[in-house]
């Protein structure tokens, strides 16, 4: 009986801490997300933070913000496709590979970008980031070295 009460107390404490971190994620990371991001003038489901909702994209997306976008983070729904990001400074092509893709824009960073996907694709979410440290939820995947 005594052991059961102790277990319940620890389980409740873990639950409270987990809920606090999910409700207040800014406490856990230095968030550089650009909040003024607009996607073709309509946000749709691409900014709701849910993997369960998505928007099917068949045409290029225009991303605009009040500040320079240094990187974009795209969460594909089921399968990733290659895409190109363009600005007035040039363009970069990113090869398919990961469902959660962080694209560092380097010299083409701008407050207005065009993202062109190869074919129709389901997008769960798109985030834009300025300079600084990325939030913890961003995965920066890299291909493994050929000889490890």
């Amino acid at each position: 009986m005594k052991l059961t009460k102790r277990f319940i107390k620890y389980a409740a404490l873990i639950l409270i801490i987990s809920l606090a971190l999910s409700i207040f994620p800014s406490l856990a990371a230095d968030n550089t997300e650009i909040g003024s991001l607009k996607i073709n003038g309509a946000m749709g489901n691409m900014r709701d933070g849910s993997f369960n909702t998505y928007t099917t994209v068949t045409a290029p997306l225009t991303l605009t913000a009040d500040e320079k976008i240094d990187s974009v983070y795209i969460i594909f729904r089921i399968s990733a496709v290659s895409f190109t990001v363009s600005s007035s400074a040039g363009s970069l092509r990113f090869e398919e590979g990961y469902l959660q893709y962080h694209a560092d824009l380097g010299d083409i960073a701008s407050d207005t970008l065009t993202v062109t996907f190869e074919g129709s694709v389901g997008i769960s979410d798109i985030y834009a980031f300025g300079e600084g440290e990325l939030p913890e939820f961003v995965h920066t995947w890299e291909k493994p070295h050929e000889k490890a």
Side-chain angles (χ1 to χ4, degrees):
M1 182 71 168
K2 199 174 192 181
L3 183 61
T4 304
K5 286 183 180 181
R6 185 179 295 171
F7 175 77
I8 291 172
K9 286 181 184 179
Y10 285 120
L13 179 63
I14 290 170
L15 179 64
I16 290 169
I17 292 171
S18 298
L19 287 173
L21 288 176
S22 68
I23 293 171
F24 303 106
S26 61
L27 297 176
D30 177 21
N31 194 341
T32 59
E33 183 179 352
I34 296 174
S36 65
L37 178 67
K38 291 184 179 55
I39 305 170
N40 283 358
M43 299 306 234
N45 290 327
M46 288 189 283
R47 300 275 297 154
D48 65 359
S50 173
F51 294 116
N52 296 322
T53 60
Y54 68 96
T55 299
T56 300
V57 176
T58 58
L61 298 176
T62 301
L63 310 180
T64 57
D66 293 340
E67 59 186 279
K68 184 171 71 170
I69 302 170
D70 289 301
S71 67
V72 293
Y73 186 57
I74 301 172
I75 301 175
F76 294 94
R77 180 171 184 253
I78 294 176
S79 62
V81 299
S82 298
F83 61 97
T84 301
V85 179
S86 304
S87 73
S88 59
S91 63
L92 288 173
R93 179 175 165 75
F94 298 92
E95 297 296 325
E96 70 178 274
Y98 302 105
L99 291 178
Q100 298 179 21
Y101 202 112
H102 175 256
D104 187 359
L105 303 177
D107 292 337
I108 71 160
S110 175
D111 62 353
T112 301
L113 302 170
T114 301
V115 182
T116 305
F117 298 96
E118 286 189 3
S120 176
V121 65
I123 303 291
S124 289
D125 284 300
I126 293 183
Y127 298 90
F129 300 103
E131 288 187 57
E133 198 170 317
L134 296 170
E136 288 184 16
F137 72 86
V138 174
H139 298 276
T140 53
W141 301 99
E142 294 181 18
K143 293 187 178 188
H145 295 286
E146 287 184 29
K147 295 179 181 179

